[in-house]
Amino acid sequence: MRPFRFGVALVAPGSRAGWVAKCRQAEDLGYDVVGVVDHLGRVAPVPALLLAAEATERVKLNTYVLNASFHNPVLLARDLTGLDEFTGGRLEIGIGAGYVRAEFEAAGIEWGTPGQRFARLKRVVAGIERAYAGRPRPPLLLGGRGDRMLEFAAEHADTIAFTGTAPGAAEGRLALAGPAAVAERVDFVKRALGGRDTELNLMVHLVRITDDRQTALEEAHRLVPHLGADELGELPTVLIGSAEAAAEQLRRTRETLGISYFTVIEDDLTRLAPVIEKLR
């Protein structure tokens, strides 16, 4: 059983001082990975991770995840190899196919079909693998929800990431998959891996550490109305309750699904900290 790893995906741009403070806070709170998203209006991944490397000492630094359609494969490979060198080998590369159509339109990039976006992702991965031919490359994280994406991840990735979302999330809405659906996707990947030992990652979309679990579940239900409060309480992508209860939930998820690496978005940076402490 793999040891736990915890990551936070930082999203909010701001001043140099503010960014440095966030990265140092994440490291001080016990996170293993500081990541950045790749969305318009958010931080620019490469300079943000360079500054994160200067501000921290221990944490890994990852792109969680790059939108493959936003990047020329050859030029991206150049930037990532430089980033890997300048961060002292602390880089972990996460890549996805992109899912927010409005961002494609704002960038003047063809949205296309799912197959076309998947083809772009494959070209980017191939470019990175060529750039590192004959030498070790940074760990590669790939993930998503669909069969093609997860099969490709099972073949190429060092870490496979599960979004934990339902099809309604395709345009950026928070639509979480139910417990059975998440388990089915994990089982699908394990069959595709064919026994290969690969780290599994899951996005935790909502963290609420509280002694009043029922009230917090009811509040979460208003955010995710397609799932009942009781069903939300069973989701591996939702942590609601005391720090000890949340830690026990993560232990069960690791034991039953084999997921050992959990990532939260910046809003939950401090909320997850007491849970991390319990699991150390």
Side-chain angles (χ1 to χ4, degrees):
M1 189 174 295
R2 287 176 176 264
F4 283 111
R5 287 213 300 160
F6 296 98
V8 58
L10 302 179
V11 299
S15 68
R16 173 188 171 89
W19 183 257
V20 166
K22 283 192 294 190
C23 294
R24 288 177 176 166
Q25 182 183 29
E27 185 166 68
D28 291 343
L29 290 174
Y31 283 87
D32 303 286
V33 184
V34 168
V36 293
V37 300
D38 189 13
H39 291 291
L40 298 184
R42 302 300 189 181
V43 293
V46 171
L49 289 181
L50 276 174
L51 183 52
E54 290 298 304
T56 59
E57 298 178 357
R58 173 187 56 81
V59 291
K60 298 293 186 180
L61 307 154
N62 81 341
T63 55
Y64 195 85
V65 294
L66 293 174
N67 182 341
S69 294
F70 283 1
H71 303 279
N72 175 287
V74 175
L75 299 181
L76 178 62
R78 177 199 63 181
D79 289 350
L80 291 177
T81 54
L83 182 60
D84 183 34
E85 292 168 359
F86 288 163
T87 60
R90 291 160 64 190
L91 179 64
E92 297 182 351
I93 303 170
I95 306 172
Y99 63 93
V100 183
R101 183 169 186 165
E103 291 187 345
F104 282 69
E105 294 171 350
I109 298 170
E110 181 185 5
W111 172 242
T113 65
Q116 289 171 324
R117 295 193 295 278
F118 178 56
R120 295 170 196 158
L121 179 141
K122 290 197 294 184
R123 287 195 293 271
V124 166
V125 171
I128 292 169
E129 291 180 337
R130 283 193 299 270
Y132 281 93
R135 59 184 173 132
R137 64 154 171 75
L140 179 64
L141 177 149
L142 297 171
R145 186 180 60 241
D147 289 1
R148 282 183 301 188
M149 185 66 228
L150 292 177
E151 286 173 340
F152 183 73
E155 183 178 357
H156 292 270
D158 302 288
T159 300
I160 300 176
F162 299 94
T163 64
T165 57
E171 295 297 326
R173 296 183 296 272
L174 182 59
L176 299 183
V182 174
E184 186 277 329
R185 291 289 79 191
V186 174
D187 288 342
F188 179 89
V189 161
K190 289 179 178 178
R191 292 194 299 272
L193 283 168
R196 186 166 76 90
D197 182 25
T198 301
E199 183 181 49
L200 302 182
N201 168 265
L202 182 67
M203 168 64 77
V204 177
H205 293 268
L206 192 65
V207 180
R208 297 292 185 270
I209 303 305
T210 175
D211 292 328
D212 189 355
R213 186 170 189 265
Q214 190 56 43
T215 297
L217 283 171
E218 290 168 0
E219 291 174 352
H221 170 61
R222 290 195 285 272
L223 296 173
V224 192
H226 65 285
L227 295 176
D230 291 342
E231 195 172 15
L232 279 171
E234 298 178 4
L235 279 182
T237 51
V238 173
L239 294 175
I240 295 179
S242 68
E244 185 55 56
E248 182 56 33
Q249 182 178 338
L250 291 178
R251 292 188 191 100
R252 287 197 305 271
T253 299
R254 185 174 64 169
E255 291 168 3
T256 59
L257 299 181
I259 297 171
S260 57
Y261 175 15
F262 299 89
T263 300
V264 297
I265 295 294
E266 182 175 332
D267 286 349
D268 287 325
L269 169 66
T270 58
R271 294 183 184 127
L272 189 66
V275 184
I276 294 175
E277 186 177 359
K278 295 284 184 185
L279 291 168
R280 296 307 185 195

